[in-house]
Amino acid sequence: MEEKNINSPYLLQKIAETSWKNRNYINDLISLERMIQRGPQGFAGGQIYFLLRQKYPVEFLELLKEASPQRYEEALAQQQEALIDKASAEEKIAAAAKQEAEKKKKAYENWIALGGKP
């Protein structure tokens, strides 16, 4: 493990549940907790923070809840907005696909009406 002073109840629980073979998972969580508390250091640290947040979204929220309840609420709100945006984008894609299918069907019907072979 990277650090000996682990005070997070969530991390202590995860350590108790995780086998030695999966210690990299715990090291990632320790790094994530450190970045939540102190902020990522430099450009590469920011990239690692982003990747860890994407890789462990549930763990990120749990660690954030322990470290900063206000930031936790903000993160939840951002997640809700992202889900709404994703649903909206999926609806637009589905509508465009339906419109394209209708356009192809109409073109096919016109082709047949003009005497074209099916």
Side-chain angles (χ1 to χ4, degrees):
M1 277 190 262
E2 293 177 0
E3 294 184 19
K4 294 180 182 177
N5 297 332
I6 298 173
N7 298 323
S8 167
Y10 182 75
L11 274 179
L12 293 172
Q13 174 192 358
K14 285 295 183 180
I15 290 170
E17 296 171 354
T18 306
S19 70
W20 176 251
K21 291 179 183 178
N22 295 329
R23 65 188 175 275
N24 288 333
Y25 168 70
I26 297 300
N27 286 337
D28 285 349
L29 294 184
I30 290 170
S31 296
L32 186 58
E33 181 194 29
R34 187 180 66 243
M35 289 181 198
I36 288 171
Q37 291 176 349
R38 301 179 195 152
Q41 302 298 312
F43 180 74
Q47 289 180 327
I48 293 170
Y49 181 58
F50 176 80
L51 292 173
L52 290 175
R53 285 176 38 196
Q54 299 301 313
K55 189 173 182 180
Y56 307 111
V58 173
E59 292 87 344
F60 169 72
L61 288 176
E62 289 297 322
L63 291 170
L64 190 60
K65 187 188 326 181
E66 286 181 358
S68 173
Q70 181 181 3
R71 285 178 51 203
Y72 171 75
E73 294 297 328
E74 291 170 2
L76 284 180
Q78 288 175 350
Q79 274 190 345
Q80 290 294 342
E81 289 176 23
L83 289 175
I84 291 169
D85 291 345
K86 182 179 178 182
S88 175
E90 289 174 352
E91 288 175 7
K92 288 178 183 178
I93 290 170
K98 183 178 178 182
Q99 186 178 15
E100 185 65 28
E102 289 174 1
K103 194 184 286 185
K104 284 184 180 182
K105 182 180 176 185
K106 183 144 182 123
Y108 176 75
E109 290 171 354
N110 287 339
W111 178 264
I112 297 298
L114 292 171
K117 292 184 180 183

